[in-house]
Amino acid sequence: MVEGRCHCGKVRIELDTAPEEVKSCNCSICRRNGTLWAYYSPKQVRITEAAPTHTYQWGDRDLTLHRCSDCGCVTHWRAVDPTYDRMGVSARLLAPEVLAAARVIQFDGASMGTPTF
Ligand SMILES: [Zn+2]
């Protein structure tokens, strides 16, 4: 099991396994936030929020991006469609040695129009 948290600790993330790879995406939002995404089935992720996160949707509005309402760290995204078996976790919130062990994949989300993560 692997744990991560936002800077202030109000949002905590628990993962069944450490990510083997993370994606660096150059789409309009990822390049601004500087996130590195690890992908999981929502069944493999537990997120606890001491305060409701701020959420953001754009474009096709098929994803909801979450950030801590206090410290502002991007924490994760979820698909609006509850049957979609994939979500993204900001690997930046994990321990530095966990992130360092993951391979970084460059992903050209910008060329794909609407981000698909
Ligand atoms: Zn926070």
Side-chain angles (χ1 to χ4, degrees):
M1 195 189 69
V2 174
E3 292 176 299
R5 65 177 187 90
C6 67
H7 192 258
C8 73
K10 289 192 171 66
V11 181
R12 292 176 183 274
I13 296 175
E14 203 179 280
L15 305 170
D16 284 351
T17 56
E20 287 178 15
E21 60 181 43
V22 295
K23 204 162 270 188
S24 174
C25 176
N26 65 354
C27 85
S28 60
I29 190 148
C30 292
R31 70 183 169 88
R32 287 179 166 86
N33 283 321
T35 37
L36 289 172
W37 293 112
Y39 303 101
Y40 290 93
S41 163
K43 300 178 193 76
Q44 300 173 289
V45 179
R46 284 152 307 277
I47 294 178
T48 51
E49 302 163 2
T53 53
H54 280 163
T55 59
Y56 180 59
Q57 293 181 329
W58 69 101
D60 293 343
R61 297 184 178 273
D62 48 2
L63 301 176
T64 304
L65 186 74
H66 292 256
R67 63 171 63 244
C68 174
S69 59
D70 196 356
C71 69
C73 289
V74 173
T75 55
H76 62 290
W77 63 259
R78 288 186 193 276
V80 170
D81 176 355
T83 65
Y84 191 67
D85 193 38
R86 190 167 153 93
M87 65 177 288
V89 171
S90 171
R92 296 279 189 194
L93 305 188
L94 305 175
E97 61 271 20
V98 173
L99 180 54
R103 192 165 17 133
V104 178
I105 309 287
Q106 300 295 327
F107 181 69
D108 186 14
S111 299
M112 302 184 70
T114 301
T116 54
F117 294 99

